[in-house]
Amino acid sequence: FGHSSQELMNLLLTGQAVSNVFDNSMTLSEELTCRGIQYRPAIGYLSQLESLRYCEVGSYYKSPIFPVWIVASTNHFSVVFGDSNCLQESKSDLLLERCRRAFKKVEDGESGFIMKDSLGKVVEELGLMTMLGDNGVQTLAAYVEVPGGGGIVLWDDFWKATSRLMTGSS
């Protein structure tokens, strides 16, 4: 934006001078890992650039510990705040975020899909392996795999099936 670097803003808000505002780290290749925000900060950060799809602000910054956010626009920063009720997330929101984080750990970049062979890692990350077992993972993989094969599991199909499993709804 020209006011300061993103690294400086991240340093002031989180104590880490990282270049990105997404959650955790993203490995792009063996030689290149992009680091983002590693935990929920006390104060959040929102960016006008996200509405323009130039970047993605992660949920750590969107759900800070206190209901205060720095909002970056093209020519200035603003501070917005709310009461403590604005930070209360529903159980379904928490479940969605938990599943999204597990899926993204094995996802290659921001593609929106994983290989069917990686589904076991996601299930294990969610703690569902004891409930499903190996046969259950294979059944789930057959259910959520893209029609026609290809060995690909899309995020939407994974989320629909997994949310039903984890909530017990049919």
Side-chain angles (χ1 to χ4, degrees), residues 10-163:
N10 290 340
L11 178 64
L12 294 172
L13 294 172
T14 69
Q16 297 176 339
V18 295
S19 299
N20 302 293
V21 293
F22 53 74
D23 292 345
N24 301 315
S25 296
M26 184 185 307
T27 302
L28 300 178
S29 69
E30 289 183 22
E31 300 87 28
L32 182 61
T33 299
C34 295
R35 290 181 26 120
I37 306 305
Q38 303 298 314
Y39 59 88
R40 277 179 66 202
I43 296 173
Y45 179 83
L46 303 171
S47 176
Q48 183 183 27
L49 294 177
E50 185 172 28
S51 66
L52 300 172
R53 298 202 180 271
Y54 289 134
C55 71
E56 179 184 343
V57 177
S59 64
Y60 289 151
Y61 261 154
K62 290 179 181 176
S63 300
I65 296 170
F66 301 107
V68 179
W69 293 266
I70 303 295
V71 181
S73 71
T74 55
N75 57 7
H76 67 282
F77 292 105
S78 299
V79 176
V80 295
F81 59 92
D83 62 9
S84 60
N85 293 331
C86 70
L87 289 177
Q88 293 178 349
E89 295 180 290
S90 68
K91 288 183 180 181
S92 62
D93 289 341
L94 294 172
L95 179 62
L96 171 65
E97 192 56 37
R98 184 174 161 213
C99 289
R100 184 176 286 140
R101 285 188 198 288
F103 192 87
K104 283 188 173 196
K105 278 192 175 181
V106 298
E107 180 184 19
D108 190 23
E110 295 288 321
S111 59
F113 69 88
I114 59 172
M115 299 309 293
K116 184 175 90 170
D117 300 339
S118 302
L119 187 61
K121 293 177 187 174
V122 180
V123 168
E124 192 173 322
E125 179 72 25
L126 290 170
L128 296 175
M129 196 56 97
T130 54
M131 180 197 321
L132 295 176
D134 287 334
N135 290 337
V137 173
Q138 292 172 357
T139 304
L140 178 63
Y143 180 73
V144 297
E145 183 181 9
V146 171
I152 294 175
V153 175
L154 298 176
W155 159 251
D156 289 337
D157 298 333
F158 170 79
W159 166 240
K160 288 174 190 172
T162 308
S163 64

